[in-house]
Every structure is written in structure tokens, then in C-alpha cells.
Amino acid sequence: MSKTYDIILSGGVVVNHDGVGARDVALAGGRIAEIGDLSRAAAAERIDCAGLHILPGVIDTQVHFREPGATHKEDLETGTRGAVLGGVVGVFEMPNTKPLTTGAAELADKLARAKGRAHCDFAFWVGGTHDNIKDIPELERLPGAAGIKVFMGSSTGSLLVADDAGVAAILSQTRRRAAFHSEDEYRLEERKPLRVPGDPTSHPVWRDEIVALRSTERLLRIAREKGALVHVLHVSTAEEIELLAAHKDIASVEATPHHLTLDAEAYVRLGTLAQMNPPVRDARHRDGLWRGVARGIVDVLGSDHAPHTLEEKAKPYPESPSGMTGVQTLVPLMLDHVNAGRLTLQRFVDLTSAGPARLFGLAGKGRVAVGYDADLTIVDLKRRETIRNDWIASRCGWTPYDGVEATGWPVATFVRGAKVMWEGELLAPGTGEPIRFQQTLRPA
């Protein structure tokens, strides 16, 4: 007796670990049930995907959704709504909320807040501090924990761990891969103000390439001494790429769409809307990051989605906060780069699905494969759309890419078999669940 599936996606081109080809995909019970010619199979719903590409669900491993503490500019519902509208099926959210996510109670609170509200699956980084070092072995193994995140710079209070002894103490406790914002707060005197070319009235941005490089050198030295695995977030300089190439046995590398897309000329057009930490730099560094992508040094993409209101961003520099939206524009921006020939579609899949699964040990995610979660990002590579502020679901309501035309667009988002977005319409309530990690699985 033939099996009846929940959904069959027919006529699409599947992109996964064994290549690119026209195949049907059957979904049942929240998982991928079959792949191949399913023209004679039965399903409760059959969806025509002719002309579309079916990708493993995109996972954004660095977002700031501001809840709890700053929900006037984002929360878990609006942030994950933007994620699925942009084709993202899962997110790793950062610990610099109020209160900080540095303990089991704060992690449990975030998990409870996301339940029934998050539109995609989720995990939360736990901040590593001087105060919770002894708890790290347990904290990093809690269900729903993406791992330990350390701010070597660009943070305040207990989240800032700027000293070598503190970093070493944390890495002596971690067993999972720990993520680092690698930036040295103690070398501010070496930062030189740089005014935007052609705009003598513009605010200064900090030219801190030396600072970033020295901080990453410190991190890699300590990680090697401790035999620890580290993940270097939002790498932004050409020199860091070359340094990290020599340490791939212990260090993985994240790049962001904004550092791959923008350069210092963006300050002329956007002013403080382009202000990020680490900063958008000149074209030499952007080109260096692309060389890192082409040579396989970059492992994953993370949006570093960090929204602020327009009123906050309108403050004069340096009172203006650093950060921009990014989770909803990650897929169209990078598909535009695919169409421009800067990377292949398979490399995009590696950076956004297979890469996160490989680095962080995701359980049942990252592939279009039988038995895996039915997490899918379906895209139209030929569709040309203009990114607009009114498309952005973030509570802050803006994007630095307003008016930018992109070729390649997310058509549908499936999260564990549920069709949560189709053709720009949100179709399901918040059914997101905690992402499972192989190193946190425990007996029921």
C-alpha cells in the first residue's frame, strides 16, 4: 500500500550535499520523508515548485532580538517574523539583553518567551563572563544553548572580558565551540579617525584594523594554549582572513552580508545607518573577505542583525548606536551576489546551512536529506525585487538597503514541515522550537 505524505514539493531543483538537480521532495511528520520522482505518490498537498530552487533551510547564527530589555526596537516575535519572511528557518540569538543571558535562569526565561511566539526555530548564546566561569561546563550543555559567547570588546559590564586571563579561564572550561567578538578595548589610542572620502563634514569612523588583528592574534594564541575551539564572529579585515587561514584547525570564521556588500562609501549615502561594530571598512577589506569566501576560509554567514530605532540612529556620532537590521535581507543580498558570480549557489548553501550544522553540531538540520527536519528555503533565482523599508518586519522598520534591487528572492520558508511563509505572506502562528544540538541531547 502506497504511503500518503503531508506535502510533496514537485518540479523544483534541489540543492544539497550531493549536487544540484530536479527532484521532488516529500514531507511527513515534520521531516523529509522522500526525495526523487514522486509524480505517482499521494499527498495531502502538492505544491508546484517549477522554476524554483529548494535549499536546506537557511540558519542565521548571529542575531540580536533585544528581548528582554529593549523591546521598543525588536522582540522575539518581530525578529523571527522578519527571519521567515526572508527565508531563514533558524536563528542563534545573542546574550547582550537586559538582563544579560549569563545563567540557566536567564536562558530558561528566553526559551519561555520564544515558545508560541517565535516563527522560526531558535537557540540562545550564553555570555561567558568572569563571574560564571565555573558554571560554563553545565551552561553550554543546556538544551536551547547555542554555546558560550565572549565579548573581548564592544560591550560593557560583566559581558566584557578584555583580559587574557579571563579569556583563558573561559576557554579552559569550554568543550563546545565558543564564539568571540574579537576586538581589543585597550588599544583605543591606536585608532585613527577617518573621514568619509569626498565628504569633509561627515562623522569620523574608526580605522581600527590593527586593533582587530591584534585581538584576534591574542584569541588564537590563548585558544591554542588551551586546546579550545573558537568561532570568530564578523571578521572585517583582510589581514584577519590571512591570519585565520593558518589556524583553521581550531578557529572557524564568520562573515556578514554587510561587510561583503558595503564599503566606506556607504557612509556618504547612509551616515550613521551604516554604523556597525566592527565597522564597514574600505573596499580593500571587503575584497579580502571575498577572497576568504572563495578560498574556503570563511565557514558561515551571520547577519549580526542588531536593530535600533531611526531616532536613536539619528543622534550625532559617537552618541549614535552601532547596528543595523540584517536577518530579513541576508538571503536576497547573498542571492544577488550568487547571480553576480561572486559565489555559487552551493557555496551559499554551505555558508548558511551545512556550515552551521557542521560547526555547531546541529541535530537533524542543515541538509535536504531523508530523516532530517523539513527545514527548507525555497528561492526564485531569477526574480528581481527592490528591497524597501515597508517590507522589513523588524520593529525598527528600516534597512540600510532601502531602494536596492536584488536578483534572487525567497519564495517560501518551511520550518519542520510547516509552510510558514509563501510569496511574502506569513501563513502560520509562532510554532518555532528550540534547535537541538548533538552535544546537548540528553535522555528523556
Side-chain angles (χ1 to χ4, degrees), residues 25-50:
V25 180
L27 317 181
R31 296 189 177 183
I32 296 170
E34 192 56 81
I35 301 172
D37 181 0
L38 301 174
S39 56
R40 297 184 179 181
E45 181 181 9
R46 183 177 289 269
I47 300 174
D48 183 7
C49 293

Side-chain angles (χ1 to χ4, degrees), residues 34-67:
E34 192 56 81
I35 301 172
D37 181 0
L38 301 174
S39 56
R40 297 184 179 181
E45 181 181 9
R46 183 177 289 269
I47 300 174
D48 183 7
C49 293
L52 304 176
H53 283 71
I54 301 171
L55 315 181
V58 169
I59 298 165
D60 187 345
T61 52
Q62 188 186 177
V63 301
H64 301 261
F65 284 164
R66 308 301 191 196
E67 184 180 353

Side-chain angles (χ1 to χ4, degrees), residues 286-311:
R286 182 188 61 191
D287 295 343
L289 294 179
W290 276 112
R291 286 193 295 274
V293 171
R295 295 160 63 199
I297 300 167
V298 175
D299 296 280
V300 297
L301 295 174
S303 72
D304 198 8
H305 175 91
H308 300 282
T309 66
L310 287 172
E311 290 76 16

Side-chain angles (χ1 to χ4, degrees), residues 65-75 96-98 307-309 312 395:
F65 284 164
R66 308 301 191 196
E67 184 180 353
T71 53
H72 65 284
K73 49 191 166 189
E74 195 71 287
D75 63 32
N96 53 336
T97 47
K98 296 179 182 180
H308 300 282
T309 66
E312 291 166 334
R395 183 158 287 168

